[in-house]
Amino acid sequence: KNDIFILEAGELFGDVIFFDDPNQGLEYVQNNVQNRMIIILDLAFPDLLPDGHKILQVIRDSSFLIPVIIWSARDEDKEEFADLIKNKAFSFLKKTASSEEIINELLSADDFINTNIDTALEEWINAHSEEQKNKPYMVTVEGKQLSLNDLLIEIRKQTPLGKQFSKSLSKLTIDLLSRNKERLND
């Protein structure tokens, strides 16, 4: 572990948590999926532990809103590389990357979190009380009732419904702003 990197990352982002056991890391992610986080994921672990490909898949089963930077000494073949792209790895770093390169990738991932509409929706939903998040919020054209928590799951998993909601909300926002009906206050 690169001590300079740990110090710099800690100064920029606060908590930096390392897991030598990927199962512990997965448990942490699944228990904290509602929190903003950036993951640097190694692809290779000892034989009895899941590899980075499997770990990324499990993370993606929980959320597509968490940037996952792949960190590896291996050159992936095209099939393995395609799997990482399919599971929306944020970026790829060689283990030989400098602290500066790693920090730059973390800053890019942080920028993604701060500017992504789906992350803004997640933040807005999480600002509501649990009672508000569990009440019916909307009804689909098929008649299915969704609470804010249901909607958050759809957004995190990037289901067709979650994507459509984000897209529709973006269009509505643009329309309202272009008609000067609303003003940004940030």
Side-chain angles (χ1 to χ4, degrees), residues 154-172:
E154 300 290 327
I155 292 166
R156 282 185 180 145
K157 292 191 174 194
Q158 291 291 280
T159 64
L161 178 64
K163 288 179 183 179
Q164 184 59 44
F165 180 79
S166 296
K167 183 177 179 180
S168 296
L169 189 58
S170 294
K171 285 180 176 181
L172 174 63

Side-chain angles (χ1 to χ4, degrees), residues 88-150:
K88 297 187 180 183
F90 182 78
S91 63
F92 302 86
L93 284 172
K94 290 282 197 185
K95 283 214 175 164
T96 56
S98 67
S99 292
E100 183 180 347
E101 290 170 312
I102 298 168
I103 293 295
N104 285 337
E105 283 304 313
L106 288 170
L107 288 169
S108 293
D110 188 57
D111 187 51
F112 167 80
I113 290 171
N114 290 323
T115 59
N116 181 303
I117 185 71
D118 293 326
T119 305
L121 281 168
E122 179 182 49
E123 191 175 288
W124 178 79
I125 290 170
N126 281 330
H128 289 78
S129 70
E130 280 306 311
E131 183 182 343
Q132 291 171 316
K133 289 193 289 188
N134 288 317
K135 288 182 182 177
Y137 181 75
M138 65 179 277
V139 179
T140 66
V141 292
E142 293 85 20
K144 180 180 176 185
Q145 283 191 343
L146 296 170
S147 67
L148 287 175
N149 277 331
D150 296 331

